[in-house]
Amino acid sequence: MSGDRVVVVGNGMAGARLASELRGRGGDLKVTVLGAEPHRAYNRIMLSTLLTGKISELDVELAEAAGRGVDVRTGVAVRAVDRATREVRTDDGDRIRYDHLVLATGARAVVPPLPGLDPAHLPDRVIAFRTLDDCRRIIATARDARRALVLGGGLLGLEAARGLAARGLDVAVVHRVPYLMERQLDAVAATMLAGTLAGLGVTTHLAVTPTALAADATGVRMELSDGRFLDADLLVLACGVCPETALAEAAGLAVDRGVLIDDRLRTDDERISAIGDCAQHGAAPTGLVAPAWAQARVLAHLLTGEDPSARYRPRPVVTRLKAAGIDLASMGDPTGGPGEELTFADPARGTYARLRIHDERLAGAILLGDNPSVGTVVQLFDRGQPVPADRRALLLGRSLGGAVAAPAASPALMPDAATVCQCNTVSKGALVACWRGGARTVDEVVAGTRAGTGCGGCRDAVAGIVDWLSRSDPVEVGR
């Protein structure tokens, strides 16, 4: 594909990563990235952390694929795709030809149908939490607010609620399901999580739905299905997302919930691919960063010709709640299917563990609270390794009957194959190799490996490994 013109529609986390991957592989592809948002590419996952005030906007920016052969245009929306002439048409009337088109159009926030709420014209104090501009509006409104409502008790809703509580607001979460994070948790874990949130200033209203909303310059009032009214200065909508497929549908591409793609990330038009939140590989879109970045890597191999045999193979996903004061990890399906099931609950300490084991492998797990075995559980699940003979070691994180399930006390004891960064699939061995290659600070190692640039949950682990490397004898490092 030497000299081909690749047009990427979308400068979000998937599109920006693809451009970076293409540039990093050299070659003479001419890459044009068109982003509808006016900003530089940013890490959407870190917006929840930005909301807490612990980081700045500079910290959420992504390294862009600036340089020879890459043309990044922000504030440019694509209005149509002409497959016959292989052109995209932008909102300013420009026509850009392509040899290969990549749709990375992402997803949009869901605004629920609700009397008093016009999705096209949200009131000033009602904000859907999806973009950097959304985050800016929430922060600006929260400065003069005392009370906030969050509609949606899923992952994003709870992260938003915790962020607002960290700013000193009295926060209430409204969730239509009887328990929080129903896609990742069971009822017991969700009940304990609600208790933990209450201790952090977040109350929950479960198994209720809003029936009407009134909002003006002074505040918002939400009527609930049980007849109660909730008043606040700010309402954040975190009701999920919907893949942005309008462009693909208008172009006649096959669409289900997302744009349908095969193992090579191709749509039913071999000159058009789709990656990220807008793409559907298998039963449903993922809406997660790790699969999007894996797709970008595979597609870069294919478009550059570096590896024509590259194929996208979904990996098991580990979900982490990124909220200060809450340790939560969920993976696989811990609540259904064949196999053994183990549980441990300590409500007084807010600690809960549920594991499902099938064919001596972890099929799913929920870990809430201070659980020293979480690192081991994640590694066993991610790598599909056999579990210890003494299952209690995984639940309690200590040596029982000779089985030690707790994570390595020192990075020196951690195997090189251990995955440190789930989002970017960066192993401990890759971090060591980067350090040996000349990186000497956490920022340099992060820049060289991309570890910690996804959800940010592994930054402490990366810092610990870098600290260990800085104090270790080079001979010992290789042992």
Side-chain angles (χ1 to χ4, degrees):
M1 299 185 66
S2 175
D4 278 1
R5 294 162 296 189
V6 176
V7 174
V8 183
V9 181
N11 191 34
M13 297 185 73
R17 174 57 65 92
L18 174 62
S20 179
E21 293 277 359
L22 291 172
R23 178 175 178 264
R25 284 165 171 73
D28 58 354
L29 289 176
K30 297 177 178 62
V31 182
T32 301
V33 182
L34 305 173
E37 292 187 66
H39 323 290
R40 297 178 59 178
Y42 60 89
N43 187 333
R44 197 181 304 278
I45 297 177
M46 298 301 290
L47 292 181
S48 297
T49 308
L50 178 63
L51 187 57
T52 67
K54 293 187 175 181
I55 60 175
S56 70
E57 288 191 9
L58 288 176
D59 296 315
V60 304
E61 285 189 357
L62 294 172
E64 293 186 340
R68 181 177 179 272
V70 178
D71 178 17
V72 178
R73 306 183 193 178
T74 58
V76 177
V78 174
R79 298 305 182 195
V81 175
D82 188 331
R83 293 165 57 188
T85 61
R86 295 206 300 272
E87 291 180 332
V88 297
R89 187 172 70 249
T90 67
D91 56 356
D92 57 7
D94 196 9
R95 290 179 175 269
I96 303 172
R97 287 185 55 80
Y98 67 83
D99 293 298
H100 198 91
L101 176 66
V102 182
L103 300 177
T105 49
R108 64 183 184 278
V110 171
V111 178
L114 185 62
L117 191 62
D118 181 358
H121 300 92
L122 293 180
D124 289 341
R125 292 183 177 272
V126 179
I127 306 169
F129 189 21
R130 176 64 180 171
T131 68
L132 177 57
D133 282 341
D134 295 336
C135 191
R136 287 172 172 173
R137 287 184 58 206
I138 293 171
I139 291 172
T141 307
R143 290 193 182 104
D144 299 320
R146 293 184 300 106
R147 297 169 299 175
L149 289 173
V150 176
L151 183 57
L155 192 67
L156 182 62
L158 297 187
E159 290 176 356
R162 181 66 187 102
L164 290 168
R167 288 181 172 270
L169 277 69
D170 181 9
V171 183
V173 174
V174 176
H175 194 47
R176 60 181 178 81
V177 180
Y179 59 90
L180 300 170
M181 291 182 63
E182 69 277 2
R183 293 184 180 180
Q184 294 88 14
L185 303 183
D186 59 20
V188 177
T191 299
M192 295 180 66
L193 175 59
T196 300
L197 286 166
L200 296 170
V202 178
T203 59
T204 52
H205 303 275
L206 305 174
V208 290
T209 57
T211 56
L213 182 73
D216 57 26
T218 62
V220 297
R221 166 167 277 206
M222 180 184 291
E223 181 179 356
L224 301 180
S225 54
D226 59 7
R228 290 180 296 152
F229 290 87
L230 299 177
D231 296 310
D233 306 301
L234 165 67
L235 170 61
V236 174
L237 303 177
C239 306
V241 297
C242 180
E244 190 57 79
T245 61
L247 195 63
E249 290 183 76
L253 299 174
V255 172
D256 183 22
R257 293 173 62 186
V259 183
L260 296 176
I261 56 172
D262 61 17
D263 290 349
R264 299 183 67 185
L265 295 315
R266 295 179 304 187
T267 66
D268 51 342
D269 183 329
E270 65 178 10
R271 289 187 176 272
I272 303 178
S273 300
I275 60 174
D277 289 355
C278 72
Q280 179 177 336
H281 179 276
T286 65
L288 299 170
V289 66
W293 284 353
Q295 291 168 0
R297 185 165 56 250
V298 170
L299 188 54
H301 281 303
L302 294 169
L303 292 179
T304 61
E306 184 178 76
D307 182 5
S309 66
R311 298 293 183 271
Y312 172 64
R313 300 285 186 256
R315 290 173 53 87
V317 174
V318 178
T319 301
R320 306 293 289 263
L321 179 61
K322 299 172 293 301
I326 304 174
D327 295 316
L328 172 62
S330 175
M331 61 210 78
D333 182 5
T335 62
E340 309 170 51
E341 189 173 299
L342 300 88
T343 60
F344 170 78
D346 184 351
R349 295 178 179 271
T351 302
Y352 178 75
R354 179 172 181 173
L355 310 176
R356 186 165 65 84
I357 299 170
H358 182 59
D359 289 339
E360 296 300 304
R361 266 79 174 170
L362 271 172
I366 299 170
L367 297 169
L368 173 65
D370 184 15
N371 192 317
S373 68
V374 63
T376 296
V377 171
V378 170
Q379 291 295 329
L380 290 173
F381 176 77
D382 185 64
R383 299 168 67 187
Q385 293 182 326
V387 299
D390 191 334
R391 314 306 204 214
R392 294 172 297 171
L394 290 178
L395 285 178
L396 304 177
R398 63 175 183 267
S399 177
L400 293 167
V404 180
S410 165
L413 304 177
M414 182 187 297
D416 280 351
T419 303
V420 178
C421 176
Q422 296 288 330
C423 294
N424 288 289
T425 320
V426 181
S427 66
K428 178 237 182 173
L431 296 175
V432 172
C434 184
W435 185 84
R436 286 175 173 167
R440 288 297 181 269
T441 67
V442 173
D443 287 345
E444 289 174 352
V445 170
V446 167
T449 64
R450 290 175 171 156
T453 61
C455 71
C458 65
R459 289 284 299 213
D460 288 346
V462 173
I465 290 173
V466 171
D467 179 64
W468 161 67
L469 289 168
S470 68
R471 292 183 286 103
S472 299
D473 183 277
V475 175
E476 293 180 351
V477 170
R479 292 170 64 180

